[in-house]
Amino acid sequence: MNLNLIYLMYGLAYFTMGLAIWVKIRPLLDNRLARVFMWLVTFGLLHAIHEWMEMFVIMGHAGGSDILVVSTLIVALSFAALLQFGVEFMGFKKDLPRIIRFCPVILLFLWFLFYLRNLTLEEGMMLAEIWSRYTLGFFSTFLTAYALTSQRKEIANNPIIAKSLLLAGISFGFYGIFTIIVPETDFFPASVLNYPRFTNLVGIPIQIFRMLSSVAITYFILKSLDVFDVMEKRKLVDQMQEMTGDLEESEEKYRTLFELAGDAFLTVVPPQGEIVDTNEAAAQMLGYLKEELRGLSSSDIIAPEVLGETKREWTKQVEERGYFLLETIWRRKDGSQFSVEISGRPLEIRGQLLFQLIGRDITERRQAEEALKDSESKYRSLFENANDAIIIFEPENEIILEGNTKVNDIYGFSHDEFVGMSLKKISKEVTTGEKRIRQVLRKGTIDNFKTVHIKKDGTPINILVNASTIEYE
């Protein structure tokens, strides 16, 4: 019988199992059960390599003894990985004693000491592989069989998947029996359960039974992998539910902000600017009911005299920077007008291009600006037409910042010559002036002190000074 072909098929079955499991669980490695099955992937790939190395040894390739050394180590590692799979599968739904969780490491360590001790012996590798099967192989296959059969209903709610796990467990049980049939030696149980005696009794080499059981294991394990399809679908459903919940929460928060905002919020459809949504602030600002605003266009609420200019500037800013911010005039339902600052940007909702507008009534700001301009105009008129010279300067370096028309008449300097000059240049009593400035800074004001200044032509003039601090921009 061609053992090479048997070993080839034997290894191919486990390699297929390992590779197929890896492909199935790779996207799900954040799932604990998927990580447990990684140990079965390791077992399948390592055991396949071991069987193919055995095939090379049987074929008589050069370096067979070296291959045997490596092959023996690999089979032990594969059984250790299988044992780890059985332990973690058992502990997937319940807690296990710590000693059981460390069992794979302990057995592998003890076997490895035996392996090192037998490296130099003539039959050392055969003995090492036999003991790897009696210890790691026996415990790993039967623990895995028990884990798959006892935990199948806990792992899989689907009866078809549970049945596949049961049959995979039974197949591992048979494989465990075939595992402890080893080459013949002079110690028990190898002296009884060995290759020659099994072949004489059954008429078929044990390798064929191992190959058949590996094929059965691979078949039923691959059928049971549908459990990961169920998990992936469940994960997608959970993600969709979470996303839907987040979206609903986000929409609720947006709607709350939209409705409670003090500014006017309008959602419009370009290019006509049809209003499709609005908040209560916009309705109150424009004097409409919310239902009345919906269906109007932006042209209905923008004052006709600024409509064209507003739309042009709006379009220009969006093209240049993706959003707009400008001032315009809105018209209420009753025809009255008021100044607004509007801002917004395009957005896409459910595949439709919309514009989100925010409008703020700036009437009070406009009135304040006009009042400020009026106040500044009155101040400038008073400043320029005063009968006394008024000089504004900064106290640290006494640099003149401004002066009225009377200054030019008294000192003989033009306005441009006077501004930027130091006050010290026109003072004959610099030290006294510095002292007076410190007093003003300390008290805020000083009245009626006398000093002597100098005109542009050098003529001294007596000055009566009243000074106070002001904020000047």
Side-chain angles (χ1 to χ4, degrees), residues 70-254:
V70 177
S71 172
T72 303
L73 179 60
I74 288 176
V75 74
L77 291 173
S78 73
F79 283 135
L82 182 61
L83 184 56
Q84 189 67 39
F85 168 76
V87 168
E88 294 202 14
F89 200 87
M90 278 289 296
F92 185 73
K93 290 289 186 177
K94 60 182 179 180
D95 293 330
L96 297 177
R98 182 171 295 184
I99 186 64
I100 294 180
R101 292 190 176 278
F102 283 102
C103 185
V105 176
I106 295 171
L107 288 178
L108 180 62
F109 176 74
L110 294 175
W111 174 86
F112 189 68
L113 293 179
F114 182 82
Y115 170 79
L116 292 176
R117 182 181 176 185
N118 286 273
L119 273 177
T120 57
L121 298 179
E122 183 176 350
E123 296 183 349
M125 289 303 97
M126 183 184 71
L127 294 175
E129 180 168 344
I130 289 173
W131 282 107
S132 74
R133 293 181 178 277
Y134 283 164
T135 54
L136 292 164
F138 177 80
F139 285 110
S140 65
T141 50
F142 281 100
L143 181 62
T144 297
Y146 177 73
L148 290 173
T149 54
S150 64
Q151 298 293 304
R152 67 187 189 280
K153 293 182 179 178
E154 297 291 332
I155 301 298
N157 294 325
N158 186 304
I160 297 176
I161 297 174
K163 182 179 179 181
S164 297
L165 290 172
L166 172 65
L167 295 174
I170 294 172
S171 300
F172 264 114
F174 279 108
Y175 183 70
I177 295 172
F178 302 141
T179 293
I180 59 175
I181 299 174
V182 297
E184 184 177 9
T185 59
D186 56 0
F187 62 84
F188 182 83
S191 59
V192 177
L193 296 174
N194 53 60
Y195 290 172
R197 181 163 294 187
F198 182 87
T199 303
N200 290 335
L201 180 64
V202 179
I204 301 174
I206 189 62
Q207 288 83 356
I208 290 183
F209 287 93
R210 288 179 183 171
M211 181 198 71
L212 293 175
S213 60
S214 70
V215 171
I217 289 170
T218 298
Y219 176 75
F220 291 119
I221 286 291
L222 294 186
K223 286 195 68 176
S224 70
L225 292 183
D226 289 341
V227 70
F228 291 107
D229 290 331
V230 174
M231 286 184 172
E232 190 168 11
K233 290 176 182 177
R234 189 181 305 157
K235 180 181 177 182
L236 288 173
V237 170
D238 291 342
Q239 288 177 343
M240 288 297 295
Q241 289 176 342
E242 183 178 353
M243 289 173 62
T244 302
D246 291 344
L247 182 59
E248 290 175 351
E249 182 180 357
S250 177
E251 287 181 348
E252 183 178 351
K253 289 179 179 178
Y254 168 76

Side-chain angles (χ1 to χ4, degrees), residues 82 120 130 173 229 250 272 283 285 300 316 412 442 468 470:
L82 182 61
T120 57
I130 289 173
D229 290 331
S250 177
Q272 300 301 322
M285 194 179 293
D300 295 316
K316 177 184 175 184
R442 187 169 62 253
S468 63
I470 63 169

Side-chain angles (χ1 to χ4, degrees), residues 43-64:
F43 164 73
L45 297 180
L46 288 178
H47 217 69
I49 294 171
H50 163 72
E51 300 307 328
W52 289 335
M53 293 179 81
E54 288 281 304
M55 179 182 70
F56 278 104
V57 171
I58 292 173
M59 292 171 65
H61 279 274

Side-chain angles (χ1 to χ4, degrees), residues 161-433:
I161 297 174
K163 182 179 179 181
S164 297
L165 290 172
L166 172 65
L167 295 174
I170 294 172
S171 300
F172 264 114
F174 279 108
Y175 183 70
I177 295 172
F178 302 141
T179 293
I180 59 175
I181 299 174
V182 297
E184 184 177 9
T185 59
D186 56 0
F187 62 84
F188 182 83
S191 59
V192 177
L193 296 174
N194 53 60
Y195 290 172
R197 181 163 294 187
F198 182 87
T199 303
N200 290 335
L201 180 64
V202 179
I204 301 174
I206 189 62
Q207 288 83 356
I208 290 183
F209 287 93
R210 288 179 183 171
M211 181 198 71
L212 293 175
S213 60
S214 70
V215 171
I217 289 170
T218 298
Y219 176 75
F220 291 119
I221 286 291
L222 294 186
K223 286 195 68 176
S224 70
L225 292 183
D226 289 341
V227 70
F228 291 107
D229 290 331
V230 174
M231 286 184 172
E232 190 168 11
K233 290 176 182 177
R234 189 181 305 157
K235 180 181 177 182
L236 288 173
V237 170
D238 291 342
Q239 288 177 343
M240 288 297 295
Q241 289 176 342
E242 183 178 353
M243 289 173 62
T244 302
D246 291 344
L247 182 59
E248 290 175 351
E249 182 180 357
S250 177
E251 287 181 348
E252 183 178 351
K253 289 179 179 178
Y254 168 76
R255 175 54 61 178
T256 301
L257 175 64
F258 186 84
E259 291 296 342
L260 298 181
D263 294 329
F265 275 64
L266 299 169
T267 305
V268 303
V269 181
Q272 300 301 322
E274 179 187 358
I275 300 170
V276 294
D277 200 5
T278 181
N279 66 348
E280 188 61 35
Q284 292 180 5
M285 194 179 293
L286 290 161
Y288 290 92
L289 297 175
K290 287 173 63 175
E291 293 73 18
E292 292 176 324
L293 269 179
R294 297 190 186 104
L296 296 181
S297 73
S298 56
S299 302
D300 295 316
I301 64 171
I302 299 175
E305 61 269 25
V306 296
L307 178 60
E309 179 184 353
T310 299
K311 287 191 173 183
R312 284 192 297 271
E313 184 63 22
W314 171 346
T315 304
K316 177 184 175 184
Q317 290 189 25
V318 170
E319 289 176 351
E320 290 178 352
R321 55 191 184 186
Y323 66 95
F324 64 89
L325 175 63
L326 53 92
E327 294 181 5
T328 188
I329 300 173
W330 275 0
R331 182 177 60 182
R332 297 186 180 93
K333 182 179 180 180
D334 62 11
S336 60
Q337 298 182 353
F338 62 101
S339 297
V340 289
E341 179 184 78
I342 59 173
S343 62
R345 64 174 63 247
L347 69 158
E348 188 173 310
I349 299 178
R350 296 183 181 92
Q352 183 178 18
L353 180 63
L354 302 170
F355 268 92
Q356 183 76 71
L357 275 67
I358 302 175
R360 175 171 297 178
D361 188 342
I362 58 171
T363 302
E364 292 183 0
R365 190 172 81 188
R366 280 281 189 228
Q367 291 172 347
E369 289 173 353
E370 291 299 325
L372 180 60
K373 288 180 182 179
D374 185 55
S375 175
E376 288 177 346
S377 177
K378 290 177 180 178
Y379 164 77
R380 174 56 64 178
S381 177
L382 178 64
F383 181 79
E384 291 295 344
N385 296 320
N387 288 324
D388 296 323
I390 301 175
I391 301 173
I392 300 174
F393 67 95
E394 59 91 8
E396 184 175 352
N397 298 308
E398 301 183 31
I399 300 299
I400 297 170
L401 303 175
E402 188 59 279
N404 65 350
T405 304
K406 198 66 177 179
V407 167
N408 303 332
D409 297 340
I410 293 175
Y411 289 93
F413 293 98
S414 69
H415 182 269
D416 292 340
E417 291 173 328
F418 198 67
V419 173
M421 182 188 298
S422 173
L423 195 61
K424 295 176 183 179
K425 187 173 181 179
I426 60 172
S427 176
K428 202 169 183 179
E429 299 174 345
V430 174
T431 303
T432 301

